[in-house]
Amino acid sequence: MLDVGIQDRLPLPKTGLFGLQHLLALTGIWIFPVLIGATLELSQEDVSHIVQACFLLTGLVTILQSSRIVRLPIVQGPTAAFFVAILAAAATYDLGTAFGSMVVAGLIFMVLSIPIGNLGLFGHIRRFAADPIVFGTLFVIIGAQLANIGLPGWFGTAGTDSYGWSSFWVGVVVVVVILGCMIFGGSTLFKRAAILVGIAVGSVVALLAGIWSPPSLGEASVIGVPTIFPFGFGVAWPVVILMLLAFFQAGAEAMGMYTLVSGWGGEKLSVNRINRGLFTEFLGSTVGAAFGGIGTTSYPENVGIIRITRIGSRFVTMAAGIFAFALAFLPQISMFIAGLSGVVLSAASTILFGIIAISGIQMLQKVRWDDLNIAVAATSFIVSLGTQWIPEDILAALPPQIAGLINTPMMLGVIMLITLNILVNFIIRPRLESRVAVAADAA
């Protein structure tokens, strides 16, 4: 499957070039922090703290995963699960509580995956956690939930001079460029970094159209360390539960990527090796949350790069981690990303969220669609999305933390999917099949 094996090295220039390609595929770093800032009306300085922490978190975990821990070509990056969880928590509480609760949830999951012998619990439950019906359906739910952040932003901000169709056409340009790179990019860097190319071209068009100007970088230092707890520190147990669910999804997705990549490279993937990788991922997300970083998972886009290039060297992904780690100490880069055009990012995120949803549909191809599995997926899908339209007076009568959970499709969806999947496929299905077998033998 691979032309360059997982434990093989490339010449340093090629290692750096392919490492940069992996870094450019981490679209969550470039989009999620700015969308959080736009949704919560944060200042550019606050958004830059999140960007800087995301680079730190991505770099730290990717270096550890590729070099000493799981020793696979795994690239970590901000995931939509944590993005949605942070938005939901901050809307009910504040960002300090969101990130503080993520730290607590991360510590809990570190204990669950402690890599000593066979003690790590998480590695033993991959059969339940990585079930495609659970996370395939969940990705579709997440994509649908995030749709309201994308297209409406193409028109800009109401009340500003640029609001309206002039901004909309800039968004159209962004989408056309991204689609062009995806369709005609072949196996080149343009295809893997299509969203980033769209953002770059859209930013130039927005500048020429007069609806955006580059942010001032004078107040940001050239070199600086990320700020610890830039939004304060708080813990709320309902938010801890939300973050536990996000960690669960991130861990399950990571296990799927470990299994896929190790199979391509002919690597043996033991339970202890899985737990080492998960422990490192949870450790990195916990440390990163203390600096305001969005929790990570193993990026499918980077696994796609490995599949296309057939270069599976873990030293290449380690180079990507080194690049990200270095960017964490360049505040002006983070400030520039924080000041990118909201219209451009909204257009780019529309494609990104669509990719998330379609990735879920691809996962669902592995499901055997009998009546039992349809009951699990269909019920979870329609109920979780339908809660967005529960009457406001009904939600207002509930405690805020419960209302926030019910009114967040991703969170309610993962609870319903896991619960129904265990109930239907691991309790009810064996009993029904046993009855059928007995009836067949009696006949």
Side-chain angles (χ1 to χ4, degrees):
M1 175 63 188
L2 299 177
D3 294 333
V4 178
I6 290 174
Q7 308 303 331
D8 295 339
R9 294 176 181 265
L10 289 171
L12 190 59
K14 288 187 177 180
T15 299
L17 178 62
F18 285 114
L20 178 62
Q21 184 180 29
H22 276 286
L23 180 64
L24 295 178
L26 293 172
T27 50
I29 289 182
W30 318 96
I31 290 182
F32 288 156
V34 184
L35 290 180
I36 288 175
T39 304
L40 301 178
E41 299 182 349
L42 303 179
S43 67
Q44 285 189 11
E45 182 179 2
D46 286 338
V47 175
S48 71
H49 288 316
I50 302 176
V51 175
Q52 201 173 0
C54 285
F55 278 125
L56 176 69
L57 172 52
T58 292
L60 176 66
V61 183
T62 300
I63 291 170
L64 291 175
Q65 297 284 54
S66 300
S67 61
R68 294 293 180 184
I69 309 299
V70 77
R71 296 171 66 86
L72 290 173
I74 295 298
V75 180
Q76 302 280 153
T79 175
F82 283 104
F83 167 68
V84 176
I86 289 169
L87 283 180
T92 305
Y93 297 91
D94 53 55
L95 276 176
T97 301
F99 287 115
S101 300
M102 191 191 301
V103 170
V104 174
L107 292 172
I108 293 172
F109 263 84
M110 285 169 60
V111 172
L112 292 177
S113 60
I114 189 167
I116 300 177
N118 290 322
L119 289 180
L121 175 64
F122 206 97
H124 291 286
I125 62 174
R126 56 178 166 169
R127 176 185 170 206
F128 305 98
D131 197 319
I133 194 173
V134 173
F135 287 99
T137 307
L138 184 61
F139 277 26
V140 177
I141 293 171
I142 290 175
Q145 179 184 351
L146 295 175
N148 67 341
I149 298 178
L151 186 59
W154 293 28
F155 294 93
T157 304
T160 62
D161 294 338
S162 60
Y163 179 71
W165 289 103
S166 58
S167 292
F168 174 83
W169 293 115
V170 172
V172 171
V173 170
V174 174
V175 170
V176 169
V177 170
I178 293 174
L179 293 178
C181 290
M182 292 173 64
I183 295 170
F184 302 109
S187 59
T188 66
L189 180 62
F190 285 100
K191 180 175 182 178
R192 305 316 309 175
I195 289 180
L196 195 61
V197 173
I199 292 174
V201 173
S203 296
V204 173
V205 173
L207 179 64
L208 295 176
I211 67 171
W212 173 74
S213 58
S216 173
L217 305 179
E219 297 181 0
S221 58
V222 177
I223 298 176
V225 299
T227 303
I228 191 165
F229 294 119
F231 308 104
F233 179 82
V235 176
W237 288 108
V239 180
V240 171
I241 294 173
L242 295 183
M243 294 301 172
L244 286 172
L245 295 173
F247 271 109
F248 187 89
Q249 179 190 333
E253 186 173 352
M255 285 190 291
M257 296 299 105
Y258 298 167
T259 302
L260 186 63
V261 173
S262 62
W264 290 345
E267 296 275 327
K268 182 180 179 181
L269 192 64
S270 64
V271 170
N272 184 263
R273 193 175 184 181
I274 291 173
N275 282 323
R276 290 203 310 270
L278 292 174
F279 182 85
T280 305
E281 178 177 322
F282 300 148
L283 170 63
S285 293
T286 303
V287 173
F291 292 92
I294 302 170
T296 70
T297 191
S298 303
Y299 253 46
E301 289 88 342
N302 297 97
V303 173
I305 290 176
I306 293 172
R307 182 177 180 180
I308 289 175
T309 63
R310 303 173 71 90
I311 295 174
S313 172
R314 61 187 177 87
F315 299 99
V316 167
T317 54
M318 184 167 63
I322 292 171
F323 289 145
F325 189 79
L327 290 174
F329 297 91
L330 301 175
Q332 289 188 346
I333 299 294
S334 298
M335 183 67 78
F336 181 81
I337 294 173
L340 289 172
S341 166
V343 172
V344 170
L345 290 174
S346 293
S349 67
T350 302
I351 301 298
L352 175 61
F353 299 153
I355 291 172
I356 291 172
I358 298 304
S359 296
I361 294 174
Q362 289 178 321
M363 293 175 67
L364 291 173
Q365 291 179 341
K366 302 176 182 178
V367 177
R368 178 167 63 94
W369 287 110
D370 57 13
D371 289 343
L372 296 182
N373 280 328
I374 288 175
V376 171
T379 305
S380 303
F381 173 79
I382 202 66
V383 171
S384 60
L385 285 178
T387 57
Q388 296 178 98
W389 292 278
I390 291 178
E392 290 295 332
D393 57 334
I394 300 297
L395 288 174
L398 299 173
Q401 57 270 29
I402 296 178
L405 175 63
I406 292 176
N407 203 33
T408 305
M410 187 272 287
M411 297 305 174
L412 182 62
V414 73
I415 292 173
M416 291 188 64
L417 283 164
I418 293 171
T419 302
L420 286 176
N421 187 47
I422 292 174
L423 178 64
V424 172
N425 282 318
F426 293 92
I427 297 177
I428 296 176
R429 183 185 293 276
R431 295 183 180 181
L432 291 178
E433 291 177 348
S434 176
R435 290 181 182 178
V436 171
V438 170
D441 290 340

